[in-house]
Amino acid sequence: MTNIDKELVEWAINKIQKEYKEDVALLIGQVGGGKIPTDEQNMVFDFFVPATERGFQLAQTFIIEDMGYDLYPISWERLEGIAAIEEPRMIFAFAKGEVIYAKSQEEKERFETLKAQMLVKIQDKSFHIPKSLEFLETAQEIFQTMLFDDSLCNVRKAAGGVCSYLMNSIAMMNGTYLESGYMNFTKDLHNMKEYPKKFEDIFQEMLSANEIKQILEKVYALIEITRSFLMERICLEEKKVAEPNYEDLAMWYQEARYTFRRISYFTGIHSVEDSYLLGCYLQIEFDAIREDFNLENMDLMSSFDSNDLSIFAKKAEEIEEYLVRTLEQQHVAQNKYASFEEFYKENS
């Protein structure tokens, strides 16, 4: 195929200058965009940024020889969304994009500033860790839909979406992005500082799967190891933060005491439903304060047995004792009073 990259870039710039001089802010290109490895990797146009509504009319697609071309618009508003990592598939196009035509120096500087802000944001742990979890959650939501689909085509398509979000999640946790966009996952994986070592093998097994059940099993495994990878690193980051304020834990416990008391009562009269629901409520609380105060795992609900609530009651007592012991070890005083008279005397 004849290489016409240079000619096409010149054509696009001339067309803008002659027909859309006031209507197009920027023409953005990148080296090798949309090419296959055997093509020459030159600068080609990718997208343009309209300055007016009329500027959108520059958009067009066409084929020359066997190569397809797409001169498409991205508004400033959408670029800002991409810079906020709202479209993970488009990060690489923005990050690798170079200005090959600008209506003004101000337009060029606006683009470069926005791109620089995006790259800094990706490396900011306060941003990229939550964003990594967001991508994981999206992957899990797609997987939930897959579970109810009996079309091999749909399941394979969805599996690709899951893998894309998982890879973006891993990249975010590394403070980077997928340089190949939605291609060459394995290559991008190897360029990262840290990644789940089994991801590549399971991904290849998923590609070889020919039955829906097999695909679902592999995709589930990919989600599971990605989630473990993220949680391990988040826990390491949390250990670096300042010592928690255990007075806040004391306040939480003083409020939760009535729930412990209710569990003791309802297990004592063998009220299965009330015991179960109170246990669920406390388990949610346990999981939340565990992260806030670096506590050990407080697994209450695994001990629930509708036939013998005494085991459940004993486990609740053990967890409460552990919490009180933790407060004592941290030398945190509790607001405990033996009677109303004592409370009244100190609070009046």
Side-chain angles (χ1 to χ4, degrees):
M1 171 182 167
T2 307
N3 185 279
I4 56 171
D5 295 333
K6 181 180 178 181
E7 289 81 356
L8 276 173
V9 168
E10 291 176 351
W11 165 82
I13 293 174
N14 288 333
K15 189 171 183 64
I16 292 170
Q17 290 176 331
K18 289 179 180 179
E19 301 177 32
Y20 298 93
K21 191 172 181 64
E22 299 302 320
D23 304 299
V24 172
L26 299 170
L27 180 64
I28 308 299
Q30 63 172 284
V31 175
K35 297 297 186 70
I36 60 177
T38 54
D39 291 332
E40 291 184 35
Q41 304 299 300
N42 302 314
M43 176 64 70
V44 295
F45 61 68
D46 188 8
F47 63 90
F48 67 94
V49 181
T52 68
E53 282 298 317
R54 183 176 181 275
F56 284 89
Q57 297 176 18
L58 175 64
Q60 58 183 298
T61 60
F62 49 89
I63 298 173
I64 299 178
E65 295 187 34
D66 68 343
M67 179 68 181
Y69 297 90
D70 182 12
L71 182 56
Y72 64 98
I74 295 183
S75 66
W76 281 114
E77 290 75 16
R78 188 180 175 197
L79 273 182
E80 290 170 355
I82 295 171
I85 321 297
E86 294 174 0
E87 295 186 57
R89 285 168 62 103
M90 292 298 296
I91 298 173
F92 82 104
F94 195 178
K96 291 189 171 185
E98 297 181 33
V99 177
I100 54 180
Y101 166 83
K103 177 185 175 185
S104 67
Q105 183 63 26
E106 288 77 15
E107 304 277 15
K108 181 178 180 180
E109 290 176 358
R110 182 180 177 184
F111 177 86
E112 297 296 351
T113 298
L114 199 57
K115 181 168 76 170
Q117 290 173 346
M118 179 186 73
L119 296 176
V120 169
K121 184 176 293 185
I122 289 174
Q123 297 175 47
D124 181 356
K125 291 178 181 178
S126 67
F127 175 83
H128 75 228
I129 290 179
K131 183 60 69 171
S132 179
L133 292 173
E134 178 185 316
F135 290 160
L136 172 64
E137 183 177 354
T138 301
Q140 293 174 157
E141 290 172 354
I142 297 172
F143 179 71
Q144 289 172 0
T145 302
M146 290 172 62
L147 293 173
F148 299 95
D149 205 318
D150 58 2
S151 165
L152 181 59
C153 174
N154 290 343
V155 169
R156 277 186 169 149
K157 177 182 67 175
V162 170
C163 292
S164 177
Y165 274 102
L166 292 179
M167 283 295 299
N168 275 287
S169 179
I170 295 168
M172 278 290 128
M173 186 56 69
N174 278 273
T176 187
Y177 63 95
L178 300 182
E179 296 185 3
S180 303
Y182 50 86
M183 300 286 289
N184 301 319
F185 280 177
T186 302
K187 177 184 175 183
D188 281 339
L189 200 66
H190 291 170
N191 290 335
M192 294 179 198
K193 183 179 178 181
E194 297 180 302
Y195 61 90
K197 299 307 177 185
K198 293 182 180 180
F199 192 99
E200 183 178 357
D201 292 338
I202 299 174
F203 179 63
Q204 294 299 327
E205 291 170 1
M206 188 273 291
L207 295 179
S208 301
N210 292 314
E211 296 180 3
I212 291 177
K213 181 180 178 181
Q214 294 174 327
I215 296 172
L216 292 173
E217 289 175 351
K218 298 306 176 184
V219 172
Y220 177 84
L222 289 171
I223 292 174
E224 188 174 36
I225 64 170
T226 301
R227 186 177 185 280
S228 297
F229 172 81
L230 300 184
M231 293 304 108
E232 288 172 5
R233 275 135 199 88
I234 290 172
C235 287
L236 289 174
E237 288 298 323
E238 289 178 345
K239 289 180 180 178
K240 298 176 184 178
V241 301
E243 188 73 12
N245 183 352
Y246 286 98
E247 290 184 0
D248 291 338
L249 178 60
M251 292 176 63
W252 175 90
Y253 169 67
Q254 287 159 186
E255 179 183 351
R257 172 84 270 277
Y258 81 92
T259 306
F260 283 108
R261 181 172 180 268
R262 295 175 77 193
I263 283 183
S264 176
Y265 172 78
F266 285 111
T267 53
I269 64 171
H270 200 75
S271 176
V272 174
E273 179 179 332
D274 289 323
S275 298
Y276 175 82
L277 294 175
L278 285 167
C280 289
Y281 168 77
L282 265 187
Q283 189 66 65
I284 294 171
E285 293 289 307
F286 292 159
D287 293 344
I289 64 171
R290 179 190 177 193
E291 296 178 3
D292 294 339
F293 300 101
N294 299 328
L295 300 170
E296 65 183 35
N297 185 34
M298 294 171 286
D299 181 355
L300 174 62
M301 293 309 296
S302 292
S303 65
F304 183 82
D305 182 347
S306 62
N307 295 314
D308 186 359
L309 292 179
S310 65
I311 301 172
F312 188 62
K314 186 174 186 302
K315 185 64 178 178
E317 290 176 5
E318 291 174 356
I319 292 174
E320 183 176 12
E321 290 170 0
Y322 162 69
L323 290 168
V324 172
R325 188 165 62 250
T326 298
L327 291 172
E328 291 173 348
Q329 291 171 348
Q330 297 299 326
H331 307 291
V332 178
Q334 296 181 51
N335 295 326
K336 296 183 68 175
Y337 306 92
S339 65
F340 174 75
E341 287 75 17
E342 182 180 334
F343 168 81
Y344 186 82
K345 181 178 180 181
E346 292 193 21
N347 291 275
S348 298

